[in-house]
Amino acid sequence: MRLGFTTGSCAAAGAKAATFMLLTGTEKKQIKILTPKGIEFNAEIININRSENSVSCAVIKDGGDDPDVTTGAHIVSTVTIENYGNSSSIPEIQIQGGTGVGIVTKPGLDQKVGEYAINKVPRQMIKKEILEVCSLCDFHGKLNVTISIPEGLELAKKTFNPRLGIEGGISVLGTSGIVEPMSSQAILDTIKVELNQHKALAKTIAAITPGNYGQDFLLKHYNYDLDKSVKCSNFIGKTLDMCLETGFEKILLTGHIGKLIKVSGGIMNTHSKEADCRMELLSAAAIRCGCSLDCAKKILNSLTTEEGLQFIMEENKLNETMEEILSKIIFHLKKHTGEKIEIECMIYSNEYGLLAKTKNAEDFLLECRS
């Protein structure tokens, strides 16, 4: 499947091209950058506008074969000279957002409240590429960079940005610089292959976890070999079905509260496009365990489950609430499998570590390790 490139890569490529045209006086219709993933991005530069002290250009976002709502958007980079400095000055790069780039209005995100939603890695990429041109052109002054996305305000309505507290547009994102297509069938096929491999090795327990965080948790706290667990991504229900089909006798599910809280509501596909009621479920569990109404309201206004846990902790109800959530998770896991297989579960958070575990979860883990 064809790879795409993030809004961050597009912004960095456009900023590099604009800087090159500004400092050399020559037009640039293609530019190359190296993404953090190590993959080269050869970007086409369009909509070039040049003046004596400023250059603007655009790169069209291409998400590859991934169903990305931002594909086709114009990522516009405008670079302006503020001053030329002197031969001993270090070039200074100031980055801000323009039309269609959202502003952060709630805490807990990559950027601080009041900042444009241009995330840390894209900012680093933009600076790296511009400084490369500054070095080439022996420029020592200050450049102002504005990233705009004309379609951003409209596109934001199709994302979770408004709910997350990003207003006025979309975010400039990306940690690897590339967009890797997420084919649901390809993921399911991979899960099936891995389960078959584990069964062929005479394993009776299928140790599954939604992602890398779960594997990291098992390694750090239980010294459990990452290769012995299967990443089920968001497909918890379908993975349970495959465990039954493959003939496993037992299942150990380990996951972050942010994923498994959804299972406590009977949601077996945890992708945000399918359902996202994390805070509602966490708040309801907290209320059932004696937390105050004020606590419940704070949870509902939280951006992440990690933030919500903090308010439960403040009322000394974390253990009870996690046990309540765990009981709901086990209920729905057993319901989904028709109680045809033994299931144990462990829930953790990045901040608080192990939150809850079923009675035989650690015994299952020890058996998996043997």
Side-chain angles (χ1 to χ4, degrees):
M1 299 183 77
R2 191 170 62 88
L3 296 175
F5 293 90
T6 62
T7 45
S9 287
C10 294
K16 182 178 185 179
T19 304
F20 183 86
M21 288 185 276
L22 181 61
L23 300 184
T24 66
T26 58
E27 193 167 272
K28 193 77 171 172
K29 293 191 175 180
Q30 279 196 327
I31 200 86
K32 290 182 181 180
I33 68 167
L34 188 66
T35 64
K37 185 78 170 181
I39 296 173
E40 195 174 75
F41 178 28
N42 190 7
E44 181 181 356
I45 306 302
I46 63 170
N47 298 351
I48 299 170
N49 290 293
R50 299 162 59 191
S51 66
E52 183 179 351
N53 290 313
S54 182
V55 172
S56 174
C57 63
V59 174
I60 294 180
K61 167 68 189 298
D62 180 3
D65 287 335
D66 190 71
D68 189 335
V69 298
T70 61
T71 291
H74 292 69
I75 314 301
V76 181
S77 301
T78 303
V79 180
T80 304
I81 297 175
E82 181 164 317
N83 63 62
Y84 287 87
N86 55 62
S87 59
S88 62
S89 302
I90 298 174
E92 185 179 348
I93 315 299
Q94 180 70 40
I95 301 171
Q96 63 180 8
T99 301
V101 174
I103 294 177
V104 178
T105 64
K106 292 183 180 180
L109 299 174
D110 183 272
Q111 296 294 302
K112 296 178 181 178
V113 171
E115 296 286 344
Y116 283 97
I118 304 172
N119 280 8
K120 180 181 177 180
V121 172
R123 286 176 185 269
Q124 291 171 342
M125 292 172 66
I126 292 167
K127 286 185 178 181
K128 173 182 173 291
E129 299 300 336
I130 290 179
L131 288 173
E132 183 180 305
V133 178
C134 289
S135 177
L136 178 69
C137 298
D138 198 29
F139 179 82
H140 300 274
K142 180 178 180 180
L143 297 174
N144 290 327
V145 184
T146 302
I147 307 300
S148 306
I149 305 173
E151 306 92 341
L153 188 58
E154 200 61 32
L155 287 172
K157 298 175 184 177
K158 302 176 183 179
T159 72
F160 281 103
N161 272 16
R163 177 171 177 171
L164 292 174
I166 298 173
E167 298 181 359
I170 62 174
S171 308
V172 179
L173 301 171
T175 55
S176 67
I178 65 167
V179 178
E180 299 186 61
M182 292 291 287
S183 163
S184 295
Q185 191 55 53
I187 294 171
L188 290 171
D189 289 345
T190 300
I191 295 168
K192 182 65 172 176
V193 168
E194 290 187 7
L195 287 172
N196 285 336
Q197 289 174 335
H198 288 222
K199 193 67 174 65
L201 293 171
K203 300 294 182 184
T204 58
I205 300 178
I208 62 176
T209 183
N212 289 327
Y213 285 149
Q215 290 184 321
D216 291 345
F217 172 80
L218 291 175
L219 178 63
K220 180 178 179 181
H221 294 277
Y222 293 96
N223 194 30
Y224 178 71
D225 186 354
L226 304 186
D227 292 334
K228 294 181 180 177
S229 64
V230 175
K231 284 196 291 185
C232 64
S233 185
N234 294 299
F235 302 106
I236 292 175
K238 289 187 179 294
T239 302
L240 294 175
D241 296 339
M242 286 189 276
C243 288
L244 286 170
E245 293 166 6
T246 310
F248 282 97
E249 299 173 9
K250 305 170 184 176
I251 294 172
L252 173 62
L253 173 63
T254 304
H256 186 275
I257 180 65
K259 284 288 186 185
L260 296 194
I261 185 68
K262 296 183 183 183
V263 180
S264 75
I267 298 164
M268 292 296 162
N269 183 332
T270 58
H271 196 290
S272 57
K273 288 183 179 179
E274 297 292 327
D276 187 14
C277 52
R278 294 166 299 155
M279 301 314 164
E280 290 81 358
L281 288 166
L282 186 59
S283 177
I287 286 289
R288 284 195 296 269
C289 293
C291 285
S292 67
L293 180 60
D294 182 58
C295 176
K297 288 179 179 179
K298 288 178 180 177
I299 294 170
L300 289 172
N301 289 327
S302 298
L303 293 178
T304 65
T305 49
E306 294 274 356
E307 183 183 356
L309 293 178
Q310 175 187 333
F311 300 120
I312 300 173
M313 174 71 83
E314 289 172 0
E315 298 204 358
N316 297 314
K317 296 292 183 181
L318 188 60
N319 290 339
E320 300 97 309
T321 304
M322 290 304 105
E323 289 298 327
E324 169 72 13
I325 290 169
L326 181 62
S327 69
K328 297 292 184 183
I329 291 171
I330 289 297
F331 170 81
H332 287 291
L333 292 175
K334 287 184 176 181
K335 180 182 178 184
H336 186 89
T337 57
E339 298 196 31
K340 296 176 182 177
I341 191 169
E342 292 183 57
I343 302 177
E344 300 291 332
C345 182
M346 303 173 75
I347 315 170
Y348 70 92
S349 87
N350 298 332
E351 179 70 22
Y352 300 104
L354 183 65
L355 295 171
K357 67 181 188 300
T358 50
K359 181 180 178 180
N360 297 315
E362 290 187 345
D363 290 338
F364 273 30
L365 192 56
L366 288 172
E367 189 174 338
C368 288
R369 288 174 57 182
S370 60

